Amino acid sequence: MRYKSQSVAYWYFAVAVALFGLQLVFGLLSAAKYLGPDPLLHILPFDVTKVIHTNLLIVWVLTGFMGATYWMVPDESRTELHSVRLAIVQLVLWVVMGVTAIIGYLFRWGTGNKLLEQPLPHKIVIVIVMLIFLYNVGMTIRKSGRLTTTEGVLIGGLGLAAVLYLPALLHYENYTVSIFYRWWTIHLWVEGVWEMIQGGFLAYLLIRLSGADREVMEKWLYVIVGLVFIAGILGTAHHYYWVGVPSYWLPIGGIFSALEPVALVGMAVYAYSSIRRSGMADPNKLALHWTVGSAVFTLFGAGLLGLAHTFPQVNKWTHGTLITAMHGHAAFYGAYAMIVMAMISFAMPSLTKRPDEGTPLGYWAFWMQIAGMFGMTLSFATAGIGQVYLERIMGLGFLDAQLKIQVHFLMLLATASLFACGVALFIIDFFRHAPRFEIELETAAAAAQPRGA
């Protein structure tokens, strides 16, 4: 750890991994409800467990993003964070917002707008937290007078994520209009500016872990950002197929959705090429596993599986089925969960007493999560294909079709349990190492020297 203020990232990471574990609890509970009978039907019905599961995903990933940024920005800017106290206040507000939101969902207090169910008071707190965060980061960069391209792409993604949250603050009486504008936040987050955030973290990690040339990495970053903006913005139209918009959105959505994986291919290629070119300059091989794994799994989940069902000719059959869950789970995990765990794994030897090269428990966590998520993806895929055939082609009712595909939910629970074990091992590996917040003399001396990287 080069700078004392980087230690604030530990508390963000601790909250993030704890929420990740809680998300898994509600995810397993939601999957189990497909098998029935449900003894918690009148206490925790499916709509409540699913809302909590999906919203915890957004909250813990954003918590991880903020913690990783508080680790990366001082390192890139070569200066202490502007205000550790502000960062702590921000985290406290964020946790209070998250806890009260979950309690509210238990009592059906929400807007009903998928992934943006937070009541208005909570949304206002989210805006305040994001303003504090961007101010703190911005003042840190201003104080240093140094802004790298990697850092700029990251901050640009975070700033645009905050701006794109603004449509979620508005209330629309017409539900169709509400759905239309919801994608201005959700799609442009997960298939737009969040990919900029992922790209910024990915470039930072590859430079640090492989010793790759910064100039080469940043050129790749420009390509990825350009592709994200070209394809990601107009690719929003693939969500417009079924909300009553003019038919010209069909070809636009289809064409540009097909181009979205190009950015993800670029991300995977530049991760692989940097390792081939530069080797392994850092002993933290566990962080490298998560870093390269994020690039490759993003290509699989967000790229290939997204492309498989977003064409209008296909989506008219798969829309609103478990095929969407197939794509969503693999995409979110590869692109955002894995890059957060990569940043945590990279920072852990400095923030805790974990060995630099990682631990056997950490590697077990990695491979069990990969295997579990791949199995979950296949389970959702087979269940979704069966659902499409039974409901959309054979005309079977929803509940009758669900009975026919229950065997796939047994597979889902088995693989999800494997995945949950991997997450549990990651959490245990994080908390079993006592935190340490001393500045390492060697890295502090290196930070004081001019460097090309």
Side-chain angles (χ1 to χ4, degrees), residues 251-414:
I252 292 174
I255 292 168
F256 285 95
S257 292
L259 292 177
E260 284 182 31
V262 176
L264 308 175
V265 171
M267 195 172 290
V269 167
Y270 106 91
Y272 176 74
S273 64
S274 68
I275 300 301
R276 285 290 301 271
R277 186 189 303 270
S278 306
M280 182 64 186
D282 193 283
N284 195 342
K285 292 183 174 61
L286 181 57
L288 185 68
H289 275 65
W290 286 110
T291 302
V292 177
S294 174
V296 173
F297 217 91
T298 299
L299 174 59
F300 166 67
L304 299 180
L305 295 184
L307 182 62
H309 83 111
T310 54
F311 283 111
Q313 297 87 341
V314 177
N315 194 251
K316 70 177 182 179
W317 302 103
T318 62
H319 188 79
T321 68
L322 292 164
I323 296 294
T324 304
M326 167 202 74
H327 165 53
H329 279 74
F332 262 100
Y333 176 70
Y336 307 123
M338 289 187 77
I339 200 64
V340 169
M341 286 187 277
M343 287 295 295
I344 292 173
S345 298
F346 176 75
M348 271 186 70
S350 296
L351 292 174
T352 70
K353 297 179 180 179
R354 197 205 79 182
D356 287 348
E357 65 276 6
T359 64
L361 204 63
Y363 288 101
W364 274 104
F366 174 81
W367 289 113
M368 287 177 74
Q369 286 189 43
I370 290 289
M373 181 54 68
F374 189 72
M376 288 168 63
T377 302
L378 293 181
S379 300
F380 276 123
T382 51
I385 292 168
Q387 183 185 11
V388 168
Y389 180 77
L390 292 171
E391 289 182 21
R392 306 289 164 85
I393 297 175
M394 297 296 293
L396 222 61
F398 174 79
L399 292 177
D400 291 330
Q402 295 302 309
L403 288 174
K404 302 292 186 185
I405 61 174
Q406 274 192 337
V407 63
H408 299 297
F409 281 93
L410 290 171
M411 297 166 55
L412 176 65
L413 273 175

Side-chain angles (χ1 to χ4, degrees), residues 64-288:
F65 282 171
M66 291 186 284
T69 303
Y70 280 140
W71 171 269
M72 174 178 157
V73 166
D75 193 30
E76 286 285 286
S77 294
R78 302 177 187 173
T79 187
E80 294 287 358
L81 193 65
H82 171 67
S83 174
V84 173
R85 182 175 297 177
L86 263 183
I88 295 297
V89 169
Q90 172 198 332
L91 180 60
V92 171
L93 284 173
W94 185 252
V95 171
V96 170
M97 180 280 302
V99 170
T100 55
I102 291 172
I103 294 172
Y105 297 146
L106 294 173
F107 294 96
R108 318 301 196 274
W109 188 34
T111 64
N113 201 3
K114 186 180 178 182
L115 297 173
L116 297 171
E117 284 97 346
Q118 309 86 21
L120 184 59
H122 291 79
K123 289 179 177 177
I124 292 171
V125 173
I126 291 171
V127 170
I128 293 171
V129 166
M130 291 305 298
L131 289 175
I132 293 173
F133 175 58
L134 293 172
Y135 171 80
N136 207 0
V137 171
M139 291 301 291
T140 303
I141 294 170
R142 181 184 177 188
K143 178 175 67 173
S144 72
R146 182 176 190 266
L147 178 66
T148 65
T149 299
T150 302
E151 194 176 29
V153 169
L154 171 65
I155 303 308
L158 291 165
L160 286 170
V163 170
L164 289 168
Y165 188 69
L166 295 179
L169 299 175
L170 304 177
H171 175 71
Y172 306 96
E173 292 295 336
N174 187 308
Y175 187 60
T176 301
V177 174
S178 178
I179 291 174
F180 181 88
Y181 287 114
R182 181 183 72 196
W183 295 118
W184 288 27
T185 296
I186 298 302
H187 172 91
L188 291 174
W189 267 3
V190 302
E191 295 176 69
V193 296
W194 279 22
E195 287 185 14
M196 291 174 61
I197 297 169
Q198 182 197 16
F201 288 141
L202 197 61
Y204 169 80
L205 287 167
L206 288 172
I207 291 168
R208 292 296 187 277
L209 290 169
S210 70
D213 182 74
R214 178 179 288 272
E215 186 177 351
V216 174
M217 289 294 99
E218 290 179 346
K219 285 178 179 176
W220 272 106
L221 206 51
Y222 285 130
V223 172
I224 290 168
V225 170
L227 289 169
V228 164
F229 270 93
I230 292 170
I233 292 175
L234 288 173
T236 310
H238 76 241
H239 298 290
Y240 293 168
Y241 298 161
W242 313 115
V243 295
V245 298
S247 59
Y248 59 75
W249 284 114
L250 292 174
I252 292 174
I255 292 168
F256 285 95
S257 292
L259 292 177
E260 284 182 31
V262 176
L264 308 175
V265 171
M267 195 172 290
V269 167
Y270 106 91
Y272 176 74
S273 64
S274 68
I275 300 301
R276 285 290 301 271
R277 186 189 303 270
S278 306
M280 182 64 186
D282 193 283
N284 195 342
K285 292 183 174 61
L286 181 57
L288 185 68

